[in-house]
Structure formats: C-alpha cells, structure tokens
C-alpha cells in the first residue's frame, strides 16, 4: 500500500515540477526549488522501487517524512496550491497513518494542514473563500484517518493469516500423525500379525503330530524347524517396526526383487501346504529399486497370497512378475471362491478386514495401479499391480 502511495506521489511531482521551476524567482530561490524537486522525486522513487529495504528506515525515523514534508512545502509555495502538488500534500497524512498510526497521522495532518493554510494566506494570485482554503486541510485529516484504518485492517489481516497458518500447520501435523498410525497399522497387519498367525498354525500342527499314535520324528523335526523359523521372522519384523520400518532387508535391484518374490512364493507354499508357483513374465530385468519401493511391492504380493489362503479356499496360487513395456507388473491369482461383486473397500474397512484396504493404500502411496477381481479368469481372484517405470526412476533420483 505504501509503495502505491509513493508511486502516486512520483506522478504528481513529475507533473507539477515544471510549474514549480517556472514560478521560482531566479537565483537562490530557483536553486532551492530545483533541490526540493530532486530530493522529493528521488526519495519517492527510492521508496517506490525498494520499499522492503528502505521502508523500515522510514518507520524508525519519522524525521525523514517530516523533512520530506518541508521540501514539499517549498515546492507547494513555488508552484501554488492549485497544481498537482496539492495531491502530494494530501498523501503525507495518509502515509503517516499507514506507517505510524494515530499519533503520526494526527501530527502530520496538522503539520500539512498548517502548511496549506499558510500557502493560501501568502498567495497573492489566489483569493479562495474560507471553505476553499479549508478543503485541502480537511482532506489531510480524512486521509490520515483512512491511513490509520487501512493500517489496522492490514494488521488484523496479518494476524488472521498467521492464525490460519498456525491452524494449517496443526492440521498438517495431525494428518501426518494419522497417516503414520495408518502406516504402522498396515505394517503390523501385513507383517508381524501374519507371521504370528503362521507360528500359531505351525505350533498347532506340531502339537497334533506329537500327540499322534504313531509319531514321525522327521516330520516333527520339520514342523519344529518351521515354528522356529517363523518365530525368528516375527522377531525380526518386530525389530524392524521398532526401528521405524526403515531397515528391513530388501534388495536394491529389480532382479533381486523378483528373486525375493519367488522365494516368498516358495516359502508360502511350504508353510501353508497350498501349491503356489512363481512365473517370470516379460523382461525379468528391472532398474534399481529404492528399498522402500521394493518393500511395498513385496508386501502387497505377500498379502495377496495370505488373503487367498485365509479367505478364498483355493487349490493353487499363481504368482508372476516382470517388466512389460513401460510397466512393472506383478500378478497374484488364486482359483478360490472369489470376491462378491458388490464388495467395496468401505465395507471392508467397517468390517475390520484391512488386508485389501492396506494393499490399495500401499499401491496408492507408490503411485501404482492395482486391480482386484477376476481379471481374464472364469473364477477366482486376481490381484494385478502395475507400477510405471518412470515412477521408479523418480523414486531412485
């Protein structure tokens, strides 16, 4: 706002400067008027051009505005109150109100009004009435009040903006906490909870074998080893969660991701007894994957297999992965009972079934597309995950 006022002053001084110089008496008066033109014009130009730098200086030193007012009075006397310099004199109380508040506005409105009355009284060519002579001083009072009002409005707007920024920051922090809680819930559901469930199943199987009439030491040893491996895996996953889930051992390259996916498929088949096979598709070589991306891809695929085993009663699970065109595609298909046609994620969330919900959320966080349905198969469920390679390159960068 102050910058606009100084821009207006510049224009008015430029228009009135010729009249002020022509009306000045030769000699010392002409030089004083020329100096006043130069000082007022350059001062207004500097503050208009770089208010952020020189505005605080004017704020700290009201005497600068007082000096400018005196130089403006010299120009006003020379050019006359009927020129555009009269508008410059009205701008001074407006600036004082904007910069200094009520006290500054009152002081400079009084000073400028006194200067205007003096100029009218000393003018020999002008014979204004009392009302005409008091018009500009009255405008000085009005513009001073306007400046103070605008100052208060801007201060209130600044306070409101700061309060809004504070509220937005608090909302962002709350959303970040909620997002982190949701992420931790997904990790607990998809890692530790599933592994502990596998430990429980393996322990039940071990107890059944140990209580049979004819025990098979080799089978009992195998089942005990499965329980031990599952327990160690649960412990490792718990440590990873406590370490903010950032140090899980995930491969750095796409080919290793595919190898890990094949290993998880084989482990799933051994642990559950459900036939599960992995088939590489397309180009099996992948660009380097950031560990968080690899972790999410493997977790989605593992969750899809676990959901098939727990809810679909399939006879087999087929897993495939590879690069096809500009997409990294991973598919998990089971020939089980399939999903209801009218099932929605909101229904699953309300019912407390967070497996599919977590898979969709993870895919969205990666910028990947996920499709859950029959696909091209006559029955069963296919989970197809497609991640653009451009997204992988951006994550790596």
């Amino acid at each position: 706002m102050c910058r606009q006022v100084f821009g207006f002053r510049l224009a008015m001084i430029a228009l009135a400067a010729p009249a002020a110089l022509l009306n000045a008496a030769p000699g010392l008066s002409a030089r004083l008027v020329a100096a006043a033109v130069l000082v007022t014009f350059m001062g207004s130009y500097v503050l208009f051009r770089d208010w952020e730098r020189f505005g605080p200086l004017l704020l700290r030193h009201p005497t600068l505005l007082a000096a400018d007012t005196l130089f403006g009075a010299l120009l006003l006397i020379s050019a006359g109150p009927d020129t555009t310099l009269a508008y410059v004199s009205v701008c001074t109380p407006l600036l004082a109100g904007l910069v200094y508040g009520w006290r500054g506005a009152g002081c400079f409105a009084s000073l400028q009004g006194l200067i205007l009355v003096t100029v009218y009284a000393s003018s020999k060519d002008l014979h204004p009435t009392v009302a005409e002579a008091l018009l500009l001083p009255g405008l000085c009072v009005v513009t001073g009040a306007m400046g103070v009002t605008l100052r208060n409005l801007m201060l209130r707007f600044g306070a409101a903006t700061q309060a809004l920024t504070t509220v937005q920051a608090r909302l962002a922090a709350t959303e970040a906490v909620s997002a982190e809680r949701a992420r931790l819930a997904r990790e607990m559901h998809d890692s530790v909870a599933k592994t502990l469930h596998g430990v429980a199943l393996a322990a039940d199987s071990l107890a059944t074998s140990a209580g049979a009439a004819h025990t098979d030491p080799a089978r009992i040893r195998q089942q005990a080893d499965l329980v031990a491996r599952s327990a160690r895996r649960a412990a490792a996953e718990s440590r990873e969660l406590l370490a903010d889930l950032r140090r899980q051992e995930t491969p750095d390259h796409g080919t290793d991701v595919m190898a890990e996916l094949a290993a998880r498929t084989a482990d799933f088949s051994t642990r559950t007894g459900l036939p599960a096979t992995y088939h590489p598709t397309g180009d099996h070589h992948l660009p380097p994957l950031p560990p968080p991306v690899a972790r999410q891809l493997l977790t989605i695929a593992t969750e899809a297999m676990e959901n098939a085993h727990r809810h679909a009663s399939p006879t087999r699970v087929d897993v495939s992965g590879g690069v096809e065109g500009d997409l990294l595609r991973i598919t998990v298909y089971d020939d089980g009972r399939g999903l209801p046609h009218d099932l929605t994620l909101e229904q699953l969330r309300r019912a407390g079934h967070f497996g599919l919900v977590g898979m969709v959320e993870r895919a969205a966080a990666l910028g990947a597309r996920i499709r859950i349905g029959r696909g091209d198969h006559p029955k069963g469920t296919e989970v197809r995950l497609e991640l653009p390679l451009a997204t992988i390159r951006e994550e790596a960068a």
Side-chain angles (χ1 to χ4, degrees):
M1 179 65 71
C2 293
R3 175 175 285 171
Q4 280 73 23
V5 173
F6 278 109
F8 178 76
R9 278 168 52 98
L10 273 174
M12 295 301 99
I13 292 173
L15 291 174
L21 293 173
L22 289 174
N23 293 337
L28 180 61
S29 297
R31 288 193 291 272
L32 288 175
V33 170
V37 169
L38 181 63
V39 170
T40 55
F41 186 86
M42 291 305 299
S44 298
Y45 175 76
V46 167
L47 289 168
F48 171 74
R49 180 68 180 273
D50 200 355
W51 171 257
E52 288 78 9
R53 181 179 178 183
F54 295 102
L57 187 64
L58 183 67
L59 180 63
R60 292 193 300 268
H61 302 286
T63 52
L64 294 176
L65 186 60
D68 177 82
T69 302
L70 295 178
F71 279 109
L74 181 61
L75 290 179
L76 190 62
I77 293 172
S78 178
D82 56 342
T83 63
T84 56
L85 282 174
Y87 300 106
V88 176
S89 63
V90 172
C91 289
T92 300
L94 176 61
L95 279 171
L98 286 170
V99 178
Y100 306 120
W102 281 112
R103 292 183 180 180
C107 178
F108 281 94
S110 302
L111 177 61
Q112 194 66 61
L114 180 62
I115 291 173
L116 287 169
V117 170
T118 303
V119 170
Y120 274 117
S122 61
S123 177
K124 298 179 181 179
D125 299 329
L126 297 177
H127 303 284
T129 62
V130 176
E132 292 175 342
L134 295 178
L135 177 61
L136 286 177
L139 284 178
C140 289
V141 175
V142 172
T143 56
M146 288 177 57
V148 174
T149 303
L150 290 173
R151 171 189 172 89
N152 293 335
L153 287 175
M154 287 187 291
L155 290 176
R156 291 178 183 177
F157 178 76
T161 302
Q162 185 176 3
L164 178 60
T165 302
T166 302
V167 171
Q168 289 176 337
R170 291 177 179 175
L171 287 176
T174 302
E175 291 177 358
V177 171
S178 299
E180 182 66 11
R181 290 179 62 184
R183 182 177 71 88
L184 290 174
R186 288 196 303 268
E187 296 294 342
M188 289 293 296
H189 177 271
D190 296 342
S191 58
V192 178
K194 291 294 177 62
T195 304
L196 291 176
H197 179 72
V199 172
L201 292 178
D204 290 339
S205 179
L206 177 60
T208 301
S209 299
H214 301 284
T215 59
D216 183 357
R219 181 169 178 78
I220 292 178
R221 189 181 301 107
Q222 182 183 8
Q223 291 174 337
D225 182 64
L226 179 59
V227 171
R229 284 192 290 110
S230 298
R232 284 193 294 269
R233 181 177 176 183
E237 289 171 346
S238 300
R239 287 194 298 270
E240 290 160 6
L241 287 174
L242 293 176
D244 197 26
L245 305 174
R246 294 183 181 275
R247 292 194 295 271
Q248 179 174 344
E249 187 177 355
T250 53
D252 292 333
H253 299 281
T255 52
D256 293 334
V257 169
M258 296 296 99
E260 176 66 15
L261 182 58
R264 291 196 180 196
T265 304
D267 179 72
F268 168 79
S269 181
T270 301
R271 178 166 47 84
T272 62
L274 178 64
T277 56
Y278 171 76
H279 308 280
T281 60
D283 184 2
H284 202 55
H285 178 72
L286 291 179
L289 288 181
V293 174
R295 172 189 174 85
Q296 298 282 36
L297 293 175
L298 293 170
T299 302
I300 292 173
T302 304
E303 176 65 18
M305 290 187 281
E306 294 290 346
N307 280 339
H309 174 247
R310 296 181 63 184
H311 305 294
S313 301
T315 61
R316 77 179 200 278
V317 174
D318 295 326
V319 182
S320 62
V323 175
E324 300 181 17
D326 60 346
L327 295 175
L328 166 60
R329 180 175 291 138
I330 296 176
T331 302
V332 178
Y333 167 74
D334 69 85
D335 61 352
R337 65 173 62 99
L339 296 173
H341 294 289
D342 57 349
L343 186 65
T344 64
L345 290 177
E346 187 59 33
Q347 292 173 345
L348 290 171
R349 187 179 285 109
R350 287 198 300 266
H353 301 299
F354 297 106
L356 293 177
V357 175
M359 290 161 57
V360 173
E361 291 177 348
R362 289 178 186 276
L366 289 176
R369 296 188 296 269
I370 187 169
R371 300 175 185 175
I372 304 174
R374 287 188 178 180
D376 298 330
H377 306 279
K379 66 173 185 177
T381 303
E382 179 186 80
V383 176
R384 175 174 293 186
L385 180 68
E386 295 178 341
L387 180 64
L389 296 181
T391 303
I392 298 176
R393 297 188 187 98
E394 291 176 1
E395 290 284 347

